[in-house]
């Protein structure tokens, strides 16, 4: 059995594999074309948080890469999925270029903190908001833990 029959898909990290910044790595586009001819599923992954998936996609297309938006999975994609699944309202420390990945998310009365690469967001007022959010979260968790421990002790005494 050939290797291509065992392998069903390929995950390709973007930064440092296909490009560095706005410069494609020499030969990367041609290698991707060759890989696509193998009929393997191709997915692109990255841990960048400095720009939205759409902006990254547009940049890759300008560099000449044959990519589709639905083939890309970023750390912001994962964060958005978690925000939706847990129904949280994050205080976001994100660059303006990344915020569009969180359109439609409520950020009123935040109950979580979401941090990306956004150095201009780190100032006293914003960090104080983040600490207050985390303190309130810890108080709620602590109350739940105390409640559970209290009831567990009652159960142990009764049994």
């Amino acid at each position: 059995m050939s290797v291509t029959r065992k392998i069903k898909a390929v995950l390709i990290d973007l930064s440092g594999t296909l490009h560095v910044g706005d410069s494609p790595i020499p030969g990367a586009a041609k290698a991707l074309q060759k890989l696509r001819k193998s009929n393997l599923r191709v997915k692109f992954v990255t841990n960048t948080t400095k720009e939205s998936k759409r902006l990254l996609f547009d940049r890759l297309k300008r560099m000449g890469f044959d990519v589709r938006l639905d083939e890309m999975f970023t750390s912001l994609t994962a964060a958005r999925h978690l925000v939706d699944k847990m129904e949280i309202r994050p205080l976001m420390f994100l660059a303006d270029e990344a915020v569009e990945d969180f359109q439609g998310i409520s950020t009123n009365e935040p109950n979580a903190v979401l941090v990306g690469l956004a150095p201009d967001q780190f100032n006293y007022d914003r960090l104080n908001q983040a600490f207050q959010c985390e303190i309130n979260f810890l108080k709620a968790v602590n109350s739940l833990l105390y409640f559970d421990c209290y009831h567990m002790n009652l159960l142990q005494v009764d049994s």
Side-chain angles (χ1 to χ4, degrees):
M1 182 177 278
S2 74
V3 174
T4 54
R5 288 193 181 166
K6 291 179 186 177
I7 298 172
K8 306 254 189 248
V10 178
L11 297 177
I12 300 174
D13 185 23
L14 292 171
S15 183
T17 305
L18 293 185
H19 71 96
V20 175
D22 289 330
S23 302
I25 292 181
K30 192 171 189 173
L32 180 57
Q33 287 174 346
K34 188 174 181 180
L35 182 61
R36 290 220 185 264
K37 290 178 184 173
S38 72
N39 294 322
L40 291 171
R41 288 183 62 203
V42 177
K43 294 287 184 177
F44 301 95
V45 295
T46 184
N47 64 350
T48 188
T49 59
K50 66 182 182 179
E51 63 189 336
S52 69
K53 187 163 95 170
R54 182 193 57 80
L55 289 175
L56 178 58
F57 170 77
D58 291 345
R59 191 158 52 101
L60 291 168
K61 294 299 272 184
R62 281 192 308 274
M63 286 187 265
F65 290 106
D66 175 22
V67 296
R68 291 192 332 255
L69 195 59
D70 66 338
E71 294 175 317
M72 296 173 57
F73 188 84
T74 72
S75 52
L76 294 176
T77 306
R80 173 63 191 248
H81 177 74
L82 187 63
V83 166
D84 288 342
K85 183 177 180 179
M86 297 182 69
E87 298 178 354
I88 58 177
R89 299 174 311 277
L91 172 65
M92 297 190 291
F93 285 76
L94 294 174
D96 292 341
E97 297 82 7
V99 173
E100 75 177 68
D101 281 353
F102 294 88
Q103 283 183 328
I105 295 293
S106 173
T107 56
N108 296 332
E109 298 181 29
N111 58 2
V113 178
L114 177 64
V115 179
L117 180 62
D120 61 324
Q121 296 282 320
F122 290 86
N123 58 55
Y124 179 82
D125 290 334
R126 296 280 289 154
L127 288 173
N128 190 41
Q129 282 181 291
F131 289 130
Q132 291 304 313
C133 182
E134 292 303 312
I135 287 169
N136 291 337
F137 172 76
L138 291 174
K139 284 179 184 174
V141 169
N142 188 37
S143 295
L144 290 172
L145 289 174
Y146 175 76
F147 178 79
D148 287 344
C149 290
Y150 176 76
H151 283 88
M152 286 175 66
N153 286 335
L154 286 178
L155 291 173
Q156 288 173 358
V157 170
D158 290 342
S159 53

